[in-house]
Amino acid sequence: MAPTLDTVFSALADPTRRAILQMLLEDDMAVTDVAEPFEMSLAAISKHLAVLTNAGLITQEKRGRVKWCMLEPDALKSASVWMQGFGQFEPVNLDAFEAFLERELGGEPS
Amino acid sequence: MAPTLDTVFSALADPTRRAILQMLLEDDMAVTDVAEPFEMSLAAISKHLAVLTNAGLITQEKRGRVKWCMLEPDALKSASVWMQGFGQFEPVNLDAFEAFLERELGGEPS
DNA sequence: TCCATATTCAACCATCTGGTTGACGATTGC
DNA sequence: GCAATCGTCAACCAGATGGTTGAATATGGA
């Protein structure tokens, strides 16, 4: 099913899950490696990963014995768009946005 | 206490609360008026408003017998900044933002 | 084949969440 | 003063959430 704002925001509401997303920002990871820094069981992490998958925030792919977790950044799009609806009051991170543009577009020419 | 990403995201995870925020985008409102379009008790709405207040997303101010609810758009900032950390993959989508505004705000009765 | 590794499943538990109802305190208007 | 309005509080409930443990299922390697 298509992830909803409900599932995306509630997935983001948990600090463990946000930490996982940040780890995956660096690189794809196996489930066991995702779990390593946390002081909770592998099963708990497995559940968190299921929540993130359900929200469309990550995808998982089994290669051999290992299941890899990969960030799916598009999933943040709908949530981000929703939040920007409030930007008319507080120009949402124009700074961050401009920094992004500069990084992304500034390096592109040629 | 200062609102955390936890409280902000979990406040946003409920559709009733997101709808309330969108209503407040138009104008400040009394609690009773906020509750009017919803098919649930005033007490339930009162709780939702408490959650939004706790997340720093709205402020409430009692004037006489009536308690007014006002949007506090700054509160979305931290959450928005967090999300933009993933923007290196998916830039803020201005088209989608404009579409959102048109859909949510532009559809005013002629 | 047999064992170790990787991950999930199932059952269970405590706590949180979102709703209800009814009583209550505060404020206003007659 | 008294009644009506505004909103919250308290108690309660069902279901979701986040964790545990132990067993089960794949897969890979010796």
Side-chain angles (χ1 to χ4, degrees), chain B residues 25-78:
Chain B
L25 202 50
E26 309 268 344
D27 210 349
D28 298 349
M29 294 178 80
V31 172
T32 307
D33 295 330
V34 169
E36 198 273 333
F38 298 99
E39 287 184 346
M40 69 181 72
S41 69
L42 190 58
I45 294 295
S46 183
K47 282 192 192 177
H48 280 305
L49 291 171
V51 172
L52 289 169
T53 300
N54 194 254
L57 290 164
I58 66 170
T59 53
Q60 290 180 286
E61 181 187 326
K62 192 164 182 180
R63 285 202 287 273
R65 191 159 53 166
V66 173
K67 200 165 182 182
W68 293 88
C69 306
M70 294 153 292
L71 205 57
E72 198 60 63
D74 278 12
L76 283 171
K77 205 169 162 180
S78 60

Side-chain angles (χ1 to χ4, degrees), chain A residues 20-38:
Chain A
I20 290 173
L21 290 177
Q22 288 188 299
M23 290 163 59
L24 292 178
L25 202 50
E26 309 269 340
D27 211 348
D28 298 349
M29 295 178 80
V31 172
T32 306
D33 295 330
V34 169
E36 198 272 332
F38 298 99

Side-chain angles (χ1 to χ4, degrees), chain B residues 10-24:
Chain B
S10 75
L12 294 178
D14 183 277
T16 300
R17 289 193 290 262
R18 287 197 309 276
I20 290 173
L21 290 177
Q22 288 188 301
M23 290 164 58
L24 293 176

Side-chain angles (χ1 to χ4, degrees), chain A residues 4 8 62 65 78 92:
Chain A
T4 61
V8 171
K62 192 165 182 181
R65 189 160 54 164
S78 59
V92 174

